[in-house]
Amino acid sequence: MADIGGTNARFALLAEGRIGVIAHMAVSRYGSFREALDAYLGGLPQRDAIRAAILAVAGVVRNGHCDLTNNSWVVDAAELRTDCGFSSVRLLNDFEAVAWALPHLSPEKLLPLGGRQPVAGAPLAALGPGTGLGMAVTIPHATGHLVLSSEGGHSTMAANSPREDAVIAWLRQRSGHVSAEHVLSGHGLEYLHEALAVLDNIALPRRRAAEITRAGIEGTCATSRAAVDMFCAMLGTVAGNLALTLGARGGVFIAGGILRHMPDYLARSQFRARFEAKGRLRGYLEPIPAWLILDEDAAFTGLRALAEVEGIG
């Protein structure tokens, strides 16, 4: 099993329904997915016994092939079957794996972000900013769950205030199309910080997302605080849009690495207010619960659920 993102790759063995130790590997250390996979498999005494692979990848999967969206890696199922001797290789989008996990997440791994009780049998939506912005939906039905992946992170970002109008206009002049991922990702937080500094005529060095998050939470930089605040508010807008689009009255789940580092800040932010700020449909959104997923390995819970359904492992 593997969860392959734009920044980190994680591998584990699945045997008799149990997930083994999860190995974390930095994408930047390897020139290709095969290099990372070979490095992982090379340390396993039971390598020759592995007969199948189920891989979550951060990109569009077409015919068992994925060119990752935010790095140069390529993952190809046919190549892995031939070169690694796997009898089966299953590729799916990384947020599709998160969506498979949603019905199986334990309450202690979820931070409530408002709303009330989920509606039984209604769709559940997942989205999350990390290297990119992933989205997927789980739809319960009589025999289990139907999971649909989505590239909604690349939909056009809408502003909700004159300040956001100005930020998006500045980004549009620089980059053309401004997607939700363009502002709701690690690089997106950096773009927000840069845009706000320019608009306020403040000379600041460029900062990485982790630095902006830390300075914003600690209150040591007003521009970083403003960027983090705008990030949380825009995330609320996008999450509310997703809930409306999918009818996700079963709940909305926020994943991704950025927000696990600032759970309390997110809970106090404008996220929930913006989630519900949909005019006449406020009453529709108010009861919909939202949660922050605190489990960084939630994708593996989803991979295990899918493996059970498809008889893998």
Side-chain angles (χ1 to χ4, degrees), residues 222-281:
T223 303
S224 294
R225 172 66 66 92
V228 173
D229 286 345
M230 185 173 286
F231 185 95
C232 292
M234 286 179 156
L235 180 65
T237 290
V238 171
N241 287 346
L242 188 62
L244 283 177
T245 301
L246 300 174
R249 294 184 296 160
V252 174
F253 297 76
I254 309 298
I258 294 173
L259 296 165
R260 283 196 300 273
H261 297 293
M262 46 184 283
D264 296 334
Y265 197 95
L266 176 65
R268 296 192 304 267
S269 75
Q270 286 294 302
F271 169 83
R272 186 70 205 191
R274 290 281 291 270
F275 179 89
E276 297 175 1
K278 303 297 182 188
R280 292 179 296 169
L281 269 293

Side-chain angles (χ1 to χ4, degrees), residues 130 183 267:
V183 295

Side-chain angles (χ1 to χ4, degrees), residues 5 45-46 53 62 72-73 79-80 86 89 127 134 141 144 204 230 245 290 296 304 311:
Q46 62 272 60
R62 296 187 180 94
S72 61
W73 284 12
E79 176 185 300
L80 293 174
F86 298 144
V89 178
L127 74 159
H141 64 85
L204 290 174
M230 185 173 286
T245 301
E296 67 173 325
R304 179 176 58 189

